[in-house]
Amino acid sequence: MENNKKYEKDIKELCERMIYLLDKFKQRGLIDDKEYDSLTYQKKRFLDSRFNK
């Protein structure tokens, strides 16, 4: 059970880092809104479902 919490924490951290990087890419014009939405959708969904209760 303790391992599950660690893995969940690690996945949360990875999602947050990826969203941060994708924000930077979008700001610099390296990806457009559609691509940004596509790449961040599952990450944001995971974060919302696990940590915004």
Side-chain angles (χ1 to χ4, degrees):
M1 190 67 165
E2 187 63 35
N3 279 343
N4 287 346
K5 291 209 180 272
K6 166 130 176 51
Y7 295 142
E8 193 169 278
K9 180 181 176 276
D10 290 345
I11 293 170
K12 177 184 184 232
E13 197 172 297
L14 286 171
C15 287
E16 290 169 342
R17 288 182 184 186
M18 278 301 297
I19 291 169
Y20 172 81
L21 290 172
L22 292 165
D23 285 342
K24 294 294 181 189
F25 287 174
K26 184 178 168 192
Q27 289 172 1
R28 294 180 182 160
L30 299 172
I31 59 175
D32 61 23
D33 290 339
K34 185 176 179 182
E35 193 171 10
Y36 174 83
D37 291 342
S38 171
L39 293 169
T40 59
Y41 176 77
Q42 289 294 337
K43 293 159 192 68
K44 288 180 178 182
R45 191 168 163 211
F46 170 77
L47 292 172
D48 286 344
S49 71
R50 300 283 186 192
F51 304 101
N52 289 334
K53 293 180 181 180

